[in-house]
Amino acid sequence: WCFEDRVQAYNRAVVTDALGGGAVDLAAMTLHGRNDTAFMVETKNLVSGLLKALDHSSSCVDVVERARVTEIEATPSMWPVVTLSNSRRLQARLIVGADGASSRVRKYAGIGTYGTEYSQYGLVATLCLEQLNSSAFQRFLPSGPIALLPFPGGFANLVWSLDSELVQLLKTAPEAIFGDLINAAFRLTPAEMGYIYSLLRSGVDPDIIGAEISWRLDVFARNNPDTNIKLPPRVAALSPRSRTSFPLRMRMVDSLVANRVALIGDAGHVMHPLAGQGLNMGLADVQCLAQVLEQAAAAGEDLGSAAVLDRYNSQRYVRNLAMQGIVDKVWHVFGAHSGT
């Protein structure tokens, strides 16, 4: 149901280490007649596809738009009541909290959280590349990993992990040299990047910084003529006003369920984006919860009962925790080791 011309399949992922010089090149395996590692889908396209699927579904789903949750309260019957900003009140046997890291549903249920702050931010932006690309690239720098993920039409999504000082420096860097900074981050040494950052901090004229980066990239190309296969296409331009940032953290909940409440996605777990598994974990939550509820409905069980919800929690909690642990260890081994 999504617009297929806005879905980008990629068949290769290249991961490199700026300090050790190592590289992992993950080529896709042919599966079910396809040769793709993963797919990149924009949030708007995904949501649009889901709404279209609901429109064509025989299920009785009431979509409420232009309204937000203002209150959730328990009742003597123990069925929670949700009050919306349009004054509508809904009582339910089960509330599914899919409302993100600051979940109001989780707070209502009194489910605690624990985890760690990475003292870093994720800088994201939309880029236009010099050529079409269907590969994903990631490089682990001392200041944090940088990743470039393909979009259709020669565009790409940037996710760059940086400390607070560097993220502000790069968010406010002139658009004319922002692409040069990304090209440099995938090619130059950490020492060279540190020098370029020092020029930015000192307020050196952007044209001078651009010329410095261009010279260093030319030297790199001459000295490394056979490495282009492991490098992303160069960035040609930055999509205007596309730069933004968000804090990086790991968060897990004490439980994915409570009295007539189930949490899915970021409401139940937050992780570092370096492996790109956050959405996949959320979709796995949805699939598991749907299967558990379908089986319970077929057996005539109360969908919001502890017996039903505990089956969901037992299947997803440990799996989510294991994936978070793996990503956290990768970050500690290959992530930010110095501020440069």
Side-chain angles (χ1 to χ4, degrees), residues 302-336:
D302 180 353
L303 300 187
S305 67
V308 172
L309 298 182
D310 284 346
R311 294 202 287 271
Y312 164 66
N313 190 61
S314 65
Q315 292 181 49
R316 289 303 306 159
Y317 188 88
V318 174
R319 286 186 172 92
N320 289 338
L321 194 62
M323 177 59 76
Q324 285 180 299
I326 291 170
V327 173
D328 182 62
K329 287 177 175 60
V330 170
W331 183 86
H332 279 95
V333 173
F334 298 104

Side-chain angles (χ1 to χ4, degrees), residues 15-20 22 24 139-145 274 327-337:
V15 183
T16 56
D17 178 21
L19 291 178
V24 176
R139 191 186 193 201
F140 284 93
L141 296 161
S143 54
L274 68 85
V327 173
D328 182 62
K329 287 177 175 60
V330 170
W331 183 86
H332 279 95
V333 173
F334 298 104
H337 299 298

Side-chain angles (χ1 to χ4, degrees), residues 155-175:
F155 288 88
N157 185 44
L158 170 75
V159 184
W160 196 347
S161 301
L162 299 155
D163 64 33
S164 59
E165 188 265 342
L166 275 179
V167 80
Q168 289 302 319
L169 194 68
L170 293 174
K171 275 179 69 174
T172 56
E175 290 188 4

Side-chain angles (χ1 to χ4, degrees), residues 143-308:
S143 54
I146 180 173
L148 189 146
L149 306 171
F151 271 167
F155 288 88
N157 185 44
L158 170 75
V159 184
W160 196 347
S161 301
L162 299 155
D163 64 33
S164 59
E165 188 265 342
L166 275 179
V167 80
Q168 289 302 319
L169 194 68
L170 293 174
K171 275 179 69 174
T172 56
E175 290 188 4
I177 64 168
F178 187 73
D180 295 331
L181 291 165
I182 298 167
N183 295 330
F186 274 103
R187 292 163 176 81
L188 303 185
T189 67
E192 289 177 298
M193 290 304 298
Y195 175 67
I196 292 169
Y197 294 149
S198 71
L199 297 180
L200 281 171
R201 292 186 184 100
S202 301
V204 173
D205 186 278
D207 291 339
I208 295 177
I209 297 177
E212 177 71 24
I213 295 174
S214 180
W215 174 75
R216 290 180 182 272
L217 290 176
D218 288 342
V219 172
F220 173 87
R222 290 196 300 270
N223 293 338
N224 302 273
D226 300 323
T227 60
N228 280 339
I229 192 171
K230 295 180 180 178
L231 295 171
R234 292 200 181 192
V235 177
L238 166 70
S239 180
R241 298 182 297 279
S242 68
R243 281 181 286 185
T244 188
S245 62
F246 57 93
L248 300 179
R249 55 174 62 100
M250 181 181 73
R251 281 286 181 272
M252 192 57 188
V253 291
D254 294 332
S255 173
L256 289 170
V257 301
N259 182 44
R260 300 200 175 275
V261 168
L263 304 178
I264 61 175
D266 284 2
H269 43 76
V270 176
M271 62 192 298
H272 197 291
L274 68 85
Q277 292 302 306
L279 176 60
N280 291 336
M281 288 170 62
L283 294 176
D285 291 344
V286 173
Q287 183 181 43
C288 178
L289 181 60
Q291 289 174 346
V292 168
L293 295 179
E294 184 178 12
Q295 293 166 1
E301 296 181 86
D302 180 353
L303 300 187
S305 67
V308 172

Side-chain angles (χ1 to χ4, degrees), residues 45-104:
N45 193 13
L46 188 60
V47 172
S48 172
L50 290 171
L51 291 175
K52 287 179 183 177
L54 284 176
D55 286 341
H56 290 79
S57 171
S58 58
S59 301
C60 297
V61 179
D62 186 7
V63 178
V64 181
E65 299 182 281
R66 298 181 178 85
R68 59 183 177 83
V69 174
T70 58
E71 186 180 11
I72 306 173
E73 56 186 322
T75 63
S77 68
M78 300 303 293
W79 284 28
V81 173
V82 178
T83 303
L84 304 180
S85 56
N86 59 8
S87 299
R88 186 175 178 181
R89 288 167 60 85
L90 306 170
Q91 190 169 29
R93 287 186 285 177
L94 173 65
I95 296 179
V96 178
D99 48 347
S102 301
S103 172
R104 191 184 192 111

